[in-house]
């Protein structure tokens, strides 16, 4: 199961519709079941900017060496 968290406002307007109502969002896997016992658990975090006007997602590119 993934959890979704709104981090803050987006840095630029939506490229598709031009709306300024853009928020930064972070999603990650929740540690459940056997994952609680796994010391190498990886939450597979995704970050993107979401336009609330048209629903477009703009995925952020991770810096070198960072996921």
């Amino acid at each position: 199961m993934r959890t979704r968290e709104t981090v803050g406002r987006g840095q630029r307007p939506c490229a598709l519709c031009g709306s300024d109502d853009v928020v930064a969002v972070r999603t990650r896997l929740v540690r459940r079941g056997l994952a609680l016992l796994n010391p190498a658990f990886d939450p597979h975090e995704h970050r993107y900017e979401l336009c609330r006007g048209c629903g477009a997602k703009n995925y952020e590119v991770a810096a070198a060496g960072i996921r």
Side-chain angles (χ1 to χ4, degrees), residues 2 27-30 40-47 67:
R2 295 192 76 82
T27 64
R28 63 183 174 87
L29 289 175
V30 176
F41 174 77
D42 184 12
H44 298 288
E45 187 173 290
H46 297 275
R47 294 175 182 254
R67 281 210 254 182

Side-chain angles (χ1 to χ4, degrees), residues 14-52:
C14 177
L16 191 61
C17 69
S19 172
D20 286 332
D21 194 12
V22 177
V23 292
V25 178
R26 178 177 69 175
T27 64
R28 63 183 174 87
L29 289 175
V30 176
R31 196 169 189 164
R32 300 174 53 182
L34 290 175
L36 292 170
L37 303 174
N38 183 1
F41 174 77
D42 184 12
H44 298 288
E45 187 173 290
H46 297 275
R47 294 175 182 254
Y48 57 89
E49 292 181 338
L50 176 68
C51 177
R52 290 188 176 172

Side-chain angles (χ1 to χ4, degrees), residues 60-67:
E60 295 180 10
V61 177
I66 300 173
R67 281 210 254 182

